[in-house]
Amino acid sequence: MLQTIKNNNYLSVLILFLVLVSCDSSRVFDKYSSISNGLWNKEDMVSFTFSVNDTIAKRNLFINIRNNNKYPFSNLFLITQMNFPDGQKIIDTLEYDMADKSGEFLGEGFSEIKENKLFYKENILFPIVGDYSVTISHAMRKNSEVNGIKNLEGITEVGFRIEKIE
């Protein structure tokens, strides 16, 4: 009897996991890279490689940032580079709000970790079939200082996501 209950519990957990994973029908690509010790060195670029087979459907691209309470700023500057299969590159400098005016971190999450899903590019078409890559690095610096912050504290993971537009 006890063994049957344990088997049912395992089966219930497996079914719940499969339901939660399968509910994300808009996901085309979704990966994360952990930042060692929550200290993102300005020289450490986070890279993601993905294949494109569809040059007709538009997509939305997101950068996902997980931060903890040690993150010392209300914004985040990122430098991104998208590399195309034919060698073309697009480099962007982006700024995102990480906290509201009262200092409360934005994003989802009940613990000290907040997850921010940040728009990178909207309604884009990938023009060429093949392998693309995106690299992301931070470009944070303190006000009136020329040199950037070497180790940015409080960023625990950086992710990249591509979604279908329904």
Coordinates of all heavy atoms in Angstrom, one line a residue, residues 66-71 105-106 108-116 154 156:
R66 N 18.1 37.4 -14.1 CA 17.7 37.1 -12.7 C 18.7 37.8 -11.8 O 19.9 37.7 -11.9 CB 17.8 35.6 -12.5 CG 16.7 34.9 -13.2 CD 16.7 33.4 -13.0 NE 15.6 32.8 -13.7 CZ 15.6 31.5 -14.2 NH1 16.7 30.8 -14.1 NH2 14.6 31.1 -14.8
N67 N 18.2 38.6 -10.9 CA 19.0 39.3 -9.9 C 18.5 39.1 -8.5 O 17.4 38.7 -8.3 CB 19.0 40.8 -10.2 CG 17.7 41.5 -10.0 OD1 16.7 41.3 -10.8 ND2 17.5 42.2 -8.9
N68 N 19.4 39.3 -7.6 CA 19.1 39.1 -6.2 C 19.1 40.5 -5.5 O 19.4 41.5 -6.1 CB 19.9 38.1 -5.5 CG 21.4 38.4 -5.5 OD1 21.8 39.6 -5.5 ND2 22.3 37.4 -5.5
N69 N 18.9 40.5 -4.2 CA 18.9 41.8 -3.4 C 20.2 42.5 -3.4 O 20.3 43.6 -2.9 CB 18.4 41.5 -2.0 CG 16.9 41.2 -2.0 OD1 16.2 41.5 -3.0 ND2 16.5 40.5 -1.0
K70 N 21.3 41.9 -3.8 CA 22.6 42.5 -3.7 C 22.8 43.4 -4.9 O 23.8 44.1 -5.0 CB 23.7 41.4 -3.7 CG 23.7 40.7 -2.4 CD 24.8 39.6 -2.4 CE 24.8 38.8 -1.1 NZ 25.8 37.8 -1.1
Y71 N 21.9 43.4 -5.9 CA 22.1 44.2 -7.1 C 22.0 45.7 -6.6 O 20.9 46.1 -6.1 CB 21.1 43.9 -8.2 CG 21.3 44.7 -9.4 CD1 22.4 44.3 -10.2 CD2 20.5 45.8 -9.8 CE1 22.7 45.1 -11.4 CE2 20.8 46.5 -11.0 CZ 21.9 46.1 -11.7 OH 22.2 46.8 -12.9
F105 N 12.6 46.2 -6.5 CA 13.0 45.5 -7.7 C 11.8 45.1 -8.5 O 10.8 44.7 -8.0 CB 13.9 44.3 -7.5 CG 15.3 44.6 -7.1 CD1 15.8 44.2 -5.9 CD2 16.1 45.4 -8.0 CE1 17.1 44.6 -5.6 CE2 17.4 45.7 -7.7 CZ 17.9 45.3 -6.5
L106 N 11.9 45.3 -9.8 CA 10.9 44.9 -10.8 C 11.1 43.4 -11.1 O 12.1 42.9 -10.7 CB 11.0 45.7 -12.1 CG 10.8 47.2 -11.9 CD1 11.2 47.9 -13.2 CD2 9.5 47.6 -11.4
E108 N 9.5 39.3 -11.7 CA 8.7 38.2 -11.1 C 9.5 37.5 -10.1 O 10.7 37.3 -10.3 CB 8.1 37.3 -12.2 CG 7.3 37.9 -13.2 CD 6.0 38.4 -12.8 OE1 5.3 37.7 -11.9 OE2 5.6 39.5 -13.2
G109 N 8.8 37.0 -9.0 CA 9.5 36.2 -8.1 C 9.1 36.5 -6.6 O 8.9 37.7 -6.3
F110 N 8.9 35.5 -5.8 CA 8.5 35.7 -4.4 C 9.7 35.7 -3.5 O 9.6 36.1 -2.4 CB 7.5 34.5 -4.0 CG 6.3 34.6 -4.8 CD1 6.0 33.6 -5.8 CD2 5.3 35.6 -4.6 CE1 4.8 33.6 -6.5 CE2 4.2 35.6 -5.4 CZ 3.9 34.7 -6.3
S111 N 10.8 35.2 -3.9 CA 12.0 35.1 -3.0 C 12.8 36.4 -3.3 O 12.4 37.3 -3.9 CB 12.8 33.9 -3.3 OG 13.4 33.9 -4.6
E112 N 14.1 36.3 -2.9 CA 15.0 37.5 -3.1 C 15.4 37.5 -4.6 O 16.0 38.5 -5.0 CB 16.2 37.5 -2.2 CG 17.3 36.5 -2.6 CD 18.6 36.8 -1.9 OE1 18.5 37.2 -0.7 OE2 19.6 36.7 -2.5
I113 N 15.2 36.4 -5.3 CA 15.5 36.4 -6.8 C 14.4 36.9 -7.6 O 13.2 36.5 -7.5 CB 15.9 35.0 -7.2 CG1 17.0 34.3 -6.4 CG2 16.2 34.9 -8.7 CD1 18.4 35.0 -6.7
K114 N 14.7 37.9 -8.4 CA 13.6 38.5 -9.3 C 14.1 38.2 -10.7 O 15.2 38.2 -11.1 CB 13.5 40.0 -9.2 CG 13.1 40.4 -7.8 CD 11.7 40.0 -7.5 CE 11.2 40.5 -6.2 NZ 10.0 39.9 -5.7
E115 N 13.1 37.8 -11.5 CA 13.3 37.5 -13.0 C 12.7 38.6 -13.8 O 11.5 38.9 -13.7 CB 12.8 36.2 -13.4 CG 13.0 35.8 -14.8 CD 12.8 34.4 -15.2 OE1 12.6 33.6 -14.3 OE2 12.9 34.1 -16.3
N116 N 13.5 39.2 -14.7 CA 13.0 40.3 -15.6 C 13.1 39.8 -17.0 O 14.2 39.3 -17.5 CB 13.9 41.5 -15.4 CG 13.7 42.2 -14.1 OD1 12.8 43.0 -13.9 ND2 14.6 41.8 -13.1
G154 N 25.1 40.9 -7.9 CA 23.7 40.7 -7.8 C 23.0 40.1 -9.0 O 21.8 39.8 -9.0
T156 N 22.5 36.9 -11.1 CA 22.7 35.5 -10.9 C 22.7 34.7 -12.2 O 23.3 33.7 -12.3 CB 21.8 34.9 -9.9 OG1 20.4 35.1 -10.3 CG2 21.9 35.6 -8.5

